[in-house]
Every structure is written in structure tokens, then in C-alpha cells.
Amino acid sequence: MSLGIFLALLFNSTLVGICSFAFFRGGRPERCGAAINVVASMVSSVLRLNDVARLAPADVIIMSIDFGVALGFYWLGITTTRFWPIWAAGFALGDLFMSALGALLPGIPLFAYHTGLGIYAYLALGALALGTFRLPRDAEPYIRNGSRRLWVQHLKETT
């Protein structure tokens, strides 16, 4: 088995494991984060398998997907009580910078470019896993939902 196939299988296994964990154990923000990761990974993979040119740095469609991921995690970060989406948004932003710099530095080997992208992807998955792990199993519904509005409403009701 080649190194590329091994690394792809390793990432996909990690993606499925962490996103399944987030979906079954997490609250609404964790499920949204899992959906963002899975959809972006699937769409990117299908596009890259259909057209090898999508593997090049700063491909417009792939960067659009990455930008959508960064926006999705940013939206989660500002609308929920969770902190992990801020980290995931930062890692997605790092992914965007890696793509842009890969285009500006045409001599960079594709292996180095894709390794950088992979590192940020693993870090975003790690943020999701840690956020899911830290959510108590017996969390109240307003905490499990993660909505800032429900949290503020609960605070007003208890005071």
C-alpha cells in the first residue's frame, strides 16, 4: 500500500470516528461541526478525485469550500456557548492561508502543501473531539443545545 493511500485511509478513519463521536455524544454545536467537517471533506475528495488539477494550491473551488468551513465554524463560535468552534475556525483560516501561500510560492512541493493542509484538518478535528469530550453526559438541555439565547434566557429565569 502506498503512503498516499495509507494517509488518506488514516484521515478518513479519524474523520468518521470523531464525527460519529460528536454526532452521538455531542449537542447541537458538535453535530453542526461534524456535519461541516464531513460535507467539506466529501465534496473536496470527490472534486479532487474527478480532477487532479484540484490538488494544486489555491484552486478556487477548493478554497471556496475551505472558506465556507471557516465561516461555518466562525458562525458556530459566535452563536453558541462552546469555545471549540473558535479554535476550529482558526485552524480553517490557517488552511486558507496555506492554500494562498502555496500559490504564491510555486516551488513548494505538493507533499509539503498537502501535509500542511492535513495538519490543520487534524487540529480542527481535535478541537471538535475535545469539545465533545468535555460536554457532560448529563448536561441540561439548554447546555446541550448550546444556543447563547437559551443560555441567557436560562440565566434570567434562575435569577
Side-chain angles (χ1 to χ4, degrees):
M1 178 182 336
S2 73
L3 179 63
I5 293 173
F6 172 75
L7 292 176
L9 288 174
L10 180 65
F11 177 76
N12 288 332
S13 299
T14 305
L15 175 75
V16 168
I18 289 175
C19 289
S20 296
F21 175 63
F23 183 77
F24 290 113
R25 179 142 182 306
R28 186 187 61 83
E30 289 76 25
R31 289 186 181 111
C32 288
I36 289 169
N37 277 311
V38 168
V39 169
S41 181
M42 285 175 48
V43 171
S44 296
S45 295
V46 166
L47 288 172
R48 286 179 170 154
L49 287 172
N50 286 331
D51 187 3
V52 186
R54 303 266 181 246
L55 292 169
D59 179 72
V60 174
I61 294 175
I62 299 297
M63 281 189 71
S64 299
I65 293 168
D66 292 343
F67 186 72
V69 169
L71 279 179
F73 284 132
Y74 174 75
W75 172 80
L76 273 176
I78 63 171
T79 60
T80 68
T81 57
R82 308 289 202 272
F83 193 73
W84 68 264
I86 302 295
W87 284 95
F91 297 136
L93 195 59
D95 197 40
L96 283 170
F97 280 118
M98 186 73 181
S99 292
L101 291 176
L104 294 175
L105 302 169
I108 188 170
L110 278 180
F111 178 77
Y113 164 70
H114 285 284
T115 300
L117 295 181
I119 289 170
Y120 287 121
Y122 275 112
L123 289 171
L125 286 173
L128 173 61
L130 187 60
T132 304
F133 181 75
R134 292 192 42 92
L135 180 67
R137 287 184 187 270
D138 59 347
E140 296 289 330
Y142 72 92
I143 292 174
R144 189 161 284 288
N145 181 284
S147 169
R148 287 188 186 274
R149 281 188 233 153
L150 284 179
W151 183 65
V152 169
Q153 181 181 1
H154 174 75
L155 288 177
K156 288 179 182 177
E157 290 172 0
T158 58
T159 55

